[in-house]
Amino acid sequence: MSLALNKPKLDNLAGDIWKSAERLRGKFKAYEYQGVILPIIVIRRLECVLLAWREAKRAEVLAKRPRRTDKELAQLVKELELNLQQSPFSNKTKWTLRKVYEEDHTLLEENFRAYINGFSKNVDDIIEHFNYRATIGTMVKNNRLAPILNQYKELELGPDQLSGLEMGYIYEEILRRFSELSGEEAGEHFTPREVIRLMVELLEIPIPERHVSIYDPACGTGGMLSVAKEHLLDRAATPAQRNNVEKFVTVHGHVRHYANRKQEHFLCASINGANEILNIRVVSIGLIDRTPVHPREVFADALSDRASAIIVAHNHPTGSLEPSATDVEVTGQLKSAGSVVGIALLDHIIFNQKGYYSFLENGLM
């Protein structure tokens, strides 16, 4: 797939989505808009992906068992869907956004909640992160649930219409508009795709012949990660090379979801000799402005992972990205301890919802 983006098409789609935010005027404060709109975009995208998966799986089953009735086919596909070794995620209910909207509107909230509660845990974690269940109650109170569902129930956000790269562009464009509406700097959230592509190209990542991990330590919407993988797929000259990209490339954006925690979380990523991430764990949870951490806790899991290096990170709930004197001291202690046990400290990253600070990039390692 080419990395070129059809900007007019994507900007028009972003404009259509933005209209739903305008419907919230007078009912929600400007900074609350994204809490309503961003989750429904994600839910609709996931729904489109799941519907496409069901259709493909139905055709696959029908080819093997052509005499199955529609009811039998639907049952077989649902059984496959609920097996997460077969599907990336699932929904155990009969609902879609369209079906929820077209049913009795006196049951709209109940049916919509049943729908989102029916997703598998990996999707439920996303919904929970948005705190969307509480937002639904506010939408109902302000008579906004039906209009929002009506707009999104048919919106074409499927993988056949939008690649992961294009979906990322849409999501970041909407996020940028919300940021500007709230009086924030768009650059705090949005990195233009052209800049990301240039950065990825400068990395000169080869087509892999063994496992490769691509890691974004301050992952926001995943733009860096999605562009990196799309770039490799675009460069793959043969089906075998494309298969290698799909098989061997793993992207990681593990820590950014801790950015909005009200307490400091200290995390440690174990790295092997091939610079692959073995594991990421929360080492300790502290207060709003500090977290206790000792080298023995940091290196205990790294030793059990047989790691050759680690990257540590912690969030700053106070908002500042500048390292404190304690942060600098802890980094020095970990670096010294690592040299003793033979596990190198590669970087210490401080992050919040607006960005990150790297000790390595700032010459403090």
Side-chain angles (χ1 to χ4, degrees):
M1 177 180 293
S2 173
L3 287 174
L5 295 174
N6 185 339
K7 288 289 190 65
K9 165 194 162 185
L10 298 177
D11 288 340
N12 286 338
L13 180 55
D16 289 340
I17 292 173
W18 187 249
K19 291 176 184 176
S20 60
E22 295 174 344
R23 292 191 174 97
L24 302 177
R25 293 186 188 277
K27 302 293 184 179
F28 290 81
K29 296 177 182 178
Y31 68 85
E32 295 175 319
Y33 291 0
Q34 61 182 333
V36 176
I37 302 305
L38 295 181
I40 197 69
I41 294 173
V42 173
I43 290 170
R44 176 57 182 167
R45 170 66 171 187
L46 293 173
E47 177 179 277
C48 289
V49 170
L50 190 54
L51 290 173
W53 182 91
R54 288 171 182 167
E55 283 299 313
K57 193 59 65 174
R58 185 181 187 279
E60 182 181 316
V61 172
L62 191 59
K64 295 178 180 178
R65 304 178 184 182
R67 296 189 178 183
R68 295 285 181 176
T69 65
D70 287 345
K71 184 177 180 179
E72 289 172 332
L73 276 173
Q75 181 62 34
L76 283 170
V77 170
K78 179 58 72 174
E79 289 174 2
L80 291 171
E81 178 186 332
L82 295 177
N83 180 353
L84 289 184
Q85 293 183 336
Q86 296 284 336
S87 65
F89 56 91
S90 65
N91 190 293
K92 62 186 179 183
T93 74
K94 66 175 184 178
W95 298 111
T96 62
L97 294 181
R98 180 178 61 80
K99 289 179 179 178
V100 169
Y101 181 79
E102 291 178 351
E103 284 288 329
D104 185 352
H105 275 211
T106 63
L107 300 174
L108 193 69
E109 179 184 5
E110 179 182 336
N111 292 339
F112 184 50
R113 288 187 183 277
Y115 176 45
I116 65 171
N117 289 340
F119 279 107
S120 50
K121 187 180 184 303
N122 50 356
V123 173
D124 185 69
D125 287 344
I126 298 171
I127 295 171
E128 186 64 27
H129 179 71
F130 280 118
N131 195 28
Y132 200 51
R133 290 177 175 86
T135 303
I136 291 170
T138 308
M139 293 166 68
V140 171
K141 180 181 177 181
N142 290 294
N143 297 315
R144 294 295 94 186
L145 181 58
I148 293 297
L149 293 183
N150 186 37
Q151 175 164 351
Y152 284 89
K153 64 183 173 60
E154 304 288 354
L155 193 63
E156 296 290 354
L157 298 182
D160 291 338
Q161 291 82 32
L162 294 170
S163 68
L165 177 64
E166 291 171 322
M167 191 66 225
Y169 178 90
I170 291 291
Y171 195 83
E172 288 194 345
E173 172 62 16
I174 296 299
L175 187 58
R176 181 188 66 79
R177 296 189 189 193
F178 282 132
S179 298
E180 292 181 347
L181 188 66
S182 300
E184 300 178 9
E185 292 292 332
E188 293 175 346
H189 300 273
F190 180 76
T191 304
R193 293 283 156 161
E194 295 81 359
V195 175
I196 297 175
R197 285 202 300 273
L198 176 60
M199 294 171 67
V200 171
E201 288 168 4
L202 290 174
L203 288 173
E204 296 183 347
I205 305 171
I207 300 297
E209 295 183 355
R210 59 182 178 81
H211 188 82
V212 171
S213 293
I214 302 174
Y215 179 54
D216 182 353
C219 177
T221 59
M224 295 284 186
L225 301 175
S226 63
V227 170
K229 191 162 186 178
E230 292 281 1
H231 180 61
L232 289 173
L233 287 169
D234 192 51
R235 287 179 48 222
T238 65
Q241 287 187 335
R242 288 185 64 85
N243 183 62
N244 278 2
V245 173
E246 295 288 2
K247 180 179 179 181
F248 292 128
V249 175
T250 304
V251 294
H252 300 273
H254 286 290
V255 303
R256 188 60 184 268
H257 58 287
Y258 289 98
N260 64 350
R261 303 298 170 89
K262 298 185 184 302
Q263 297 169 287
E264 282 198 6
H265 286 61
F266 195 95
L267 304 103
C268 178
S270 298
I271 313 293
N272 68 13
N275 287 328
E276 299 166 347
I277 297 174
L278 300 172
N279 220 324
I280 295 182
R281 299 180 179 90
V282 176
V283 176
S284 64
I285 301 174
L287 304 175
I288 190 171
D289 58 351
R290 63 186 182 277
T291 180
V293 62
H294 192 280
R296 64 172 172 266
E297 278 80 32
V298 173
F299 286 100
D301 288 323
L303 287 166
S304 66
D305 290 335
R306 298 184 179 181
S308 62
I310 61 170
I311 296 172
V312 297
H314 74 279
N315 62 314
H316 266 190
T318 56
S320 171
L321 288 172
E322 288 297 316
S324 66
T326 301
D327 293 334
V328 175
E329 181 183 357
V330 166
T331 303
Q333 291 174 349
L334 293 177
K335 188 174 181 180
S336 298
S339 65
V340 173
V341 299
I343 299 178
L345 175 64
L346 300 182
D347 200 359
H348 184 175
I349 295 163
I350 300 170
F351 62 97
N352 60 23
Q353 290 179 299
K354 295 183 178 181
Y356 74 97
Y357 179 97
S358 163
F359 276 64
L360 179 64
E361 291 178 4
N362 286 276
L364 297 180
M365 293 301 298

